[in-house]
Every structure is written in structure tokens, then in C-alpha cells.
């Protein structure tokens, strides 16, 4: 008699290729704060989808691998084939980091002085303070602009400089800049004397007034 046979097919489907990471994402805090997305650092193989987890193995699925606060988090990308749902043998980590911005410098106020002889030098650094560990970088504009190595004024006139703080790590600037206006006001011309006043004594005795011998520049007053 014939013997019936039953066929059994064994198939091992290939694992998905692990996603390729282009690198971790690190940015300085913005205002308003930005959102980092780990998907921006992953290249998936055609015909595969990416599933994110909160652990290198096992763990929980993460629907939105993002970061929008000052901190750091690592997500793990696993590739999955679309046809047979086979996962990759390992996961690609992506670390998202938002570093805190430096605090904007605090200004004690603009600096205004009258011209001296010889003329003095005003320094905008004398008008700002920053927390310990932070440094100050000066610019000639509130946004963009060029770095000013010496934010000073030593001529009659006015100039505005803008202080940007740099974090202690030297990586993150303050979100805003603090302005400081330096002003040296020109000294008025010295009063002009028409000469000393000398008179003989009268009876009753008269009163001499030095103002009668002085001519001041228009718009200026005289202080004796």
C-alpha cells in the first residue's frame, strides 16, 4: 500500500537591517524652546519602517522620539521589514540634548559723562554683570552683527554695544543681548571775561557782581 507524505517548509526570513544613525543631535536652548526629533538622525532601508524604543533591548515602544526641554534623552531605532515584520538584530541609538542657554547679562545702566581733559575712556564692561562661570561677548547689533573686542568710547559722542552672555561650557549663548549706551557729552566753552572790575569806594558802599564781567555761550549757564 502507498504511504502518504506531508510536506513541511521551513523558512527563515532575513532580519531587517538596522537603521543608520547620522549622529546624536545637540543644540543650545532657543526662545521659545525648540523640539528635537530623533527621526532626523536616522536613515531607514527601503522597504522597512523604523520603530523607536526607550531601551537598547526590550523596553517600551516610543511613538514620538522627541525632546523639547533642557535635558538629554536617548532613543533606540529598530528596523522592521514591511513584508514579514522581521525586526533588526540590533537598534541604533540616538541621543537628543538641549543645553541651557546662558542668562542674558544684567545692565546697571547706560554710562554718560561730561568730557574731561584729557578725554576719558568709557568701557561698557563696567555696566554689565553675568553669573559666575559665564563670559560676555560684545556685538555692534542686537541680532547678528560683528564681535566688538573693545566696547569703549573715548571721543565726544555716543555709541551702543550689545552684550551676549556665553555659558560656562562656552557652547551656548544667551537668547537675547543686553544693550549699553556710552555717551561723552562735549564740554561747553569756558565763559568769556570782559575784564576784572575795580571801583573806588562809594558812600553808601556799592556792590560789585562778577556776572557783569562774564559772557556765557548760548544755552549754557555759569556756575561760580
Amino acid at each position: 500500500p502507498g504511504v502518504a507524505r506531508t510536506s513541511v517548509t521551513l523558512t527563515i526570513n532575513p532580519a531587517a537591517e538596522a537603521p543608520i544613525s547620522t549622529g546624536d543631535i545637540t543644540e543650545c536652548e532657543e526662545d521659545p524652546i525648540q523640539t528635537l526629533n530623533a527621526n532626523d538622525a536616522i536613515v531607514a532601508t527601503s522597504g522597512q519602517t523604523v520603530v523607536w524604543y526607550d531601551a537598547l533591548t526590550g523596553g517600551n515602544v516610543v511613538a514620538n522620539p522627541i525632546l523639547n526641554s533642557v535635558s538629554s534623552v536617548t532613543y533606540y531605532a529598530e528596523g522592521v521589514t514591511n513584508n514579514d515584520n522581521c525586526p533588526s538584530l540590533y537598534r541604533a541609538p540616538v541621543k537628543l540634548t538641549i543645553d541651557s542657554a546662558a542668562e542674558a547679562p544684567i545692565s546697571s545702566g547706560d554710562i554718560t559723562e561730561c568730557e574731561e581733559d584729557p578725554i576719558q575712556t568709557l568701557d561698557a564692561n563696567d555696566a554689565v554683570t553675568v553669573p559666575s562661570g559665564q563670559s560676555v561677548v560684545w556685538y555692534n547689533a542686537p541680532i547678528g552683527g560683528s564681535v566688538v573686542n573693545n566696547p569703549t568710547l573715548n571721543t565726544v559722542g555716543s555709541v551702543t554695544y550689545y552684550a551676549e552672555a556665553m555659558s560656562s561650557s562656552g557652547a551656548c549663548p544667551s537668547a537675547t543681548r543686553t544693550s549699553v549706551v556710552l555717551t561723552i557729552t562735549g564740554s561747553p566753552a569756558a565763559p568769556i571775561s570782559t575784564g576784572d572790575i575795580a571801583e573806588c569806594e562809594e558812600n553808601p558802599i556799592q556792590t560789585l557782581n562778577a556776572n557783569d564781567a562774564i559772557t556765557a555761550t548760548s544755552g549754557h549757564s555759569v556756575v561760580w
Side-chain angles (χ1 to χ4, degrees):
V3 178
R5 296 177 180 174
T6 301
S7 65
V8 175
T9 301
L10 302 178
T11 302
I12 298 178
N13 292 318
E17 295 184 22
I20 298 173
S21 171
T22 57
D24 298 330
I25 302 176
T26 299
E27 295 184 4
C28 294
E29 177 188 12
E30 298 175 358
D31 184 22
I33 196 166
Q34 69 272 45
T35 296
L36 304 185
N37 192 324
N39 284 295
D40 296 334
I42 283 295
V43 178
T45 302
S46 178
Q48 297 183 177
T49 57
V50 174
V51 179
W52 289 94
Y53 289 85
D54 60 4
L56 186 59
T57 59
N60 302 301
V61 172
V62 178
N64 295 302
I66 62 174
L67 177 67
N68 57 8
S69 62
V70 174
S71 59
S72 183
V73 62
T74 301
Y75 296 111
Y76 303 85
E78 181 178 272
V80 178
T81 56
N82 294 336
N83 291 334
D84 45 38
N85 204 37
C86 287
S88 55
L89 298 178
Y90 69 92
R91 298 170 182 170
V94 173
K95 185 177 182 180
L96 305 179
T97 302
I98 297 179
D99 290 326
S100 60
E103 296 180 26
I106 298 173
S107 172
S108 58
D110 299 329
I111 303 175
T112 300
E113 294 184 3
C114 293
E115 177 187 13
E116 298 176 357
D117 185 22
I119 196 166
Q120 69 271 44
T121 296
L122 305 185
D123 191 332
N125 285 294
D126 296 333
V128 297
T129 57
V130 293
S132 177
Q134 293 186 8
S135 57
V136 174
V137 180
W138 289 95
Y139 289 85
N140 61 0
I143 300 174
S146 302
V147 172
V148 178
N149 292 321
N150 295 300
T152 61
L153 177 67
N154 57 7
T155 59
V156 172
S158 183
V159 64
T160 303
Y161 296 111
Y162 301 86
E164 181 179 273
M166 187 63 66
S167 64
S168 56
S169 65
C172 292
S174 55
T176 59
R177 296 173 182 171
T178 302
S179 64
V180 174
V181 180
L182 303 180
T183 303
I184 295 179
T185 304
S187 297
I192 299 173
S193 172
T194 57
D196 298 331
I197 302 175
E199 294 182 1
C200 294
E201 178 186 12
E202 298 177 359
N203 187 20
I205 195 165
Q206 71 271 45
T207 298
L208 303 184
N209 191 328
N211 285 298
D212 297 335
I214 284 294
T215 302
T217 304
S218 177
H220 298 158
S221 58
V222 174
V223 179
W224 290 94

